[in-house]
Amino acid sequence: MERARRQHPAICAPHNPLALIVRSSNTLRLAALDAVGLKAGLAVGMTLADARARLPDLATLPHDPEADREVVDILVRRMIRFTPMVTRDPPDGLLMDISGCAHLFGGEQAMIERMLPLVEVTPRFALADNAAAARALARYGDGSGEIGALPVRALELDDNDLQALLRAGLRRIGDLTARPLSAIAARFGAGAVTKLRQMTGEIGSPIDPHIPAAPIRVEARFAEPIGRTDDVLDVVEGLLGEAGKVMEARGIGGRVFVATLYRSDGLERSLAVETGRPVRDPPAVIRLLRERIEGLADPIDPGFGFDMIALAVPRTEALALAQIGLDGADERHDGVGALVDRLGVRLGPDRVRRAVPCDRHLPEVAQMWLPAAGIAAPDWPITDDRPPRPLYLLDPPHKVEVIAEVPDGPPYRFRWKGKMHRVTLAEGPERLASEWWTRAMGHFPNQGGLTRDYYRVEDEAGRRFWIFRHGLFGEKGDPDWYLHGLFP
């Protein structure tokens, strides 16, 4: 919730209740709540309609688990400075083994005080002799106290086993530790005993530390300095080959490549290129570096020559092995991606953009434009169950005059740009409701916005159009019609 408020300050005023929503079985439900919503009686899992009925001014945002994971990953990397034994505790926690490290920072509490400025969200810390106990204290307690005082739900058993424990009158961990483990295993299963023994420290609960991969950096030194651009590029291509072997072993590809040239008099010059997709093909990167060198306003001055060249790959992404075609070509290296990279080098990375899908059902907001080189190209959602839509949309839709045979039927004739079109074929409607959940009072009747009925029509000349009626007759007395797209 704090991440959402920080990323959307205009929507998330501090005094307004906020919820994150997720779609489940065609129903919008609450995935997370802030303190205001919890005090008002809302609960995670409640439908958005019920929540708005209780709290009409509830603001909502889509739940973004990937953004939450990124926040936790950032925290993992920051905490490595305190101990190398750090790992994620999904979905929103960290486990740290600080054995032998706390004294370096003045003790455990002093270490926690130094962590706080790096966290940037409200944390819950807990200290214990083992990871399972610390996790239980942080998630089900107040971060302090004894394991025995925690509720039995801290064992995180399935619902049936948890209800069996409660029916037996066992409500605290201490109620279980006071009984023979053999009796608990016979009645509630070995899983309950294993988790109980982990909390009490009888058996270990080791963590798998997150160990960051060593940065990819290769270099070449010369007994005699070199100065020709072609010689420099030949050396860089060789370094790219070495870096490519490291990336292939890790199953990754580079998105940013930085070549640093060290002159014999101590001056440095860096050349960086960014690709729109992960690559480890030296010729592809060399072409981009050559474009970068040719476009420099200040040409590279070798001086007395370069005595060292280093190549670093600061940004990488996953890149699987590609199938080689029958003609020996790598099917992964498409011409469009190479063109995007070359245009980005020539025009600037922010000037070349690509459309990426959004989780919105209204056509005009179902995609957004982002820099092509700054993101990985996501897969567009499969829409086999949806009628075809035109690739070319009008922004904004053009208002048209329509004559229909029946009030709620498809158009019979329509006038666009002063020309009358007679409809010979029509298909539809495809009905799209407005995004009523984005409106503060959208759950009330006639407050959620107008419904759209889309039709695919064809005129006498064979031209195909995408037209919609804006509003049903129960929502608006005389609905307007709009032309939204053109089919090829």
Side-chain angles (χ1 to χ4, degrees):
M1 298 303 301
E2 294 180 9
R3 174 197 59 77
R5 286 190 179 277
R6 186 169 62 246
Q7 292 181 349
H8 304 275
I11 300 176
C12 310
H15 58 280
N16 286 343
L18 174 68
L20 303 182
I21 58 175
V22 63
R23 182 177 296 276
S24 174
S25 301
N26 294 326
T27 302
L28 294 176
R29 296 186 179 274
L30 306 187
L33 282 164
D34 63 358
V36 179
L38 291 172
K39 290 180 180 178
L42 305 185
V44 173
M46 180 183 292
T47 64
L48 180 58
D50 292 341
R52 280 257 167 83
R54 295 190 182 187
L55 207 60
D57 59 344
L58 177 68
T60 61
L61 287 170
H63 181 42
D64 189 354
E66 184 61 33
D68 293 340
R69 281 193 291 269
E70 291 178 1
V71 172
V72 177
D73 289 340
I74 291 174
L75 292 179
V76 169
R77 293 192 292 269
R78 290 179 179 177
M79 294 301 110
I80 289 177
R81 70 186 65 184
F82 298 99
T83 171
M85 301 291 288
V86 184
T87 188
R88 288 188 50 172
D89 180 29
D92 54 4
L94 300 182
L95 288 173
M96 305 170 59
D97 185 352
I98 60 173
S99 302
C101 301
H103 70 281
L104 300 175
F105 302 92
E108 295 173 346
Q109 293 301 324
M111 174 186 281
I112 291 177
E113 292 177 1
R114 295 187 63 172
M115 292 178 185
L116 286 174
L118 303 176
V119 176
E120 296 181 353
V121 292
T122 303
R124 298 181 65 181
F125 287 97
L127 296 170
D129 293 335
N130 61 81
R135 184 183 190 279
L137 288 171
R139 292 189 178 275
Y140 300 95
D142 58 1
S144 59
E146 297 294 332
I147 291 294
L150 296 178
V152 292
R153 71 173 185 274
L155 295 174
E156 297 184 344
L157 304 175
D158 58 41
D159 291 340
N160 293 333
D161 291 340
L162 179 59
Q163 292 301 321
L165 287 171
L166 295 176
R167 286 195 297 267
L170 304 174
R171 303 186 178 278
R172 302 288 176 185
I173 300 296
D175 298 336
L176 294 175
T177 57
R179 286 165 171 76
L181 295 181
S182 58
I184 296 175
R187 185 168 183 180
F188 305 108
V193 173
T194 300
K195 292 187 177 182
L196 183 62
R197 295 181 66 191
Q198 286 179 335
M199 284 189 187
T200 57
E202 291 185 26
I203 60 176
S205 53
I207 66 175
D208 183 15
H210 171 82
I211 301 176
I216 299 177
R217 187 179 187 275
V218 290
E219 60 184 39
R221 300 174 181 270
F222 317 108
E224 294 292 336
I226 61 175
R228 295 177 63 248
T229 300
D230 289 341
D231 294 338
V232 170
L233 292 176
D234 288 342
V235 173
V236 172
E237 186 170 7
L239 296 176
L240 285 168
E242 296 180 25
K245 295 178 181 178
V246 178
M247 291 188 286
E248 184 175 1
R250 299 183 185 180
I252 58 177
R255 288 289 305 276
V256 177
F257 298 83
V258 180
T260 305
L261 314 179
Y262 297 86
R263 280 191 354 186
S264 56
D265 57 359
L267 295 180
E268 302 176 9
R269 184 66 182 271
S270 294
L271 299 172
V273 293
E274 186 173 357
T275 61
R277 50 174 175 50
V279 298
R280 49 176 179 254
D281 181 29
V285 181
I286 286 296
R287 284 194 297 269
L288 298 179
L289 281 173
R290 193 177 294 277
E291 293 274 357
R292 174 71 72 195
I293 292 173
E294 293 176 354
L296 291 176
D298 181 19
I300 298 177
D301 180 12
F304 294 103
F306 303 107
D307 55 11
M308 188 177 81
I309 298 177
L311 176 73
V313 189
R315 181 181 174 189
T316 61
E317 290 181 4
L319 179 62
L321 295 176
Q323 177 66 41
I324 302 300
L326 295 178
D327 57 353
D330 190 341
E331 296 179 356
R332 183 180 55 222
H333 296 155
D334 59 290
V336 175
L339 177 62
V340 168
D341 294 341
R342 295 186 67 179
L343 290 177
V345 171
R346 292 184 181 183
L347 306 177
D350 294 335
R351 294 179 179 269
V352 183
R353 296 175 176 266
R354 66 156 55 99
V356 297
C358 298
D359 189 15
R360 308 277 292 274
H361 69 283
L362 294 181
E364 64 271 20
V365 292
Q367 61 282 318
M368 60 181 175
W369 293 92
L370 295 177
I375 59 171
D379 295 329
W380 284 84
I382 299 174
T383 56
D384 293 337
D385 58 339
R386 190 180 69 187
R389 292 183 176 181
L391 293 177
Y392 182 75
L393 296 182
L394 301 175
D395 184 21
H398 292 184
K399 190 173 183 179
V400 294
E401 301 174 11
V402 170
I403 299 175
E405 292 183 341
V406 293
D408 57 350
Y412 177 69
R413 291 180 180 177
F414 67 94
R415 185 186 300 276
W416 178 46
K417 293 185 176 181
K419 183 178 179 180
M420 182 65 71
H421 298 263
R422 182 175 177 273
V423 176
T424 57
L425 296 173
E427 184 182 7
E430 177 190 357
R431 180 161 293 178
L432 298 181
S434 66
E435 295 182 341
W436 56 268
W437 56 88
T438 61
R439 299 168 176 254
M441 308 294 288
H443 59 289
F444 286 109
N446 301 323
Q447 297 295 324
L450 300 178
T451 304
R452 303 181 188 181
D453 276 353
Y454 279 87
Y455 293 90
R456 291 166 300 283
V457 302
E458 183 176 319
D459 67 2
E460 294 176 312
R463 290 168 295 200
R464 303 175 66 221
F465 307 88
W466 204 36
I467 295 178
F468 71 90
R469 182 197 302 113
H470 196 212
L472 305 178
F473 281 92
E475 298 174 341
K476 188 176 182 180
D478 187 15
D480 296 320
W481 287 81
Y482 293 88
L483 175 63
H484 202 168
L486 303 175
F487 289 95

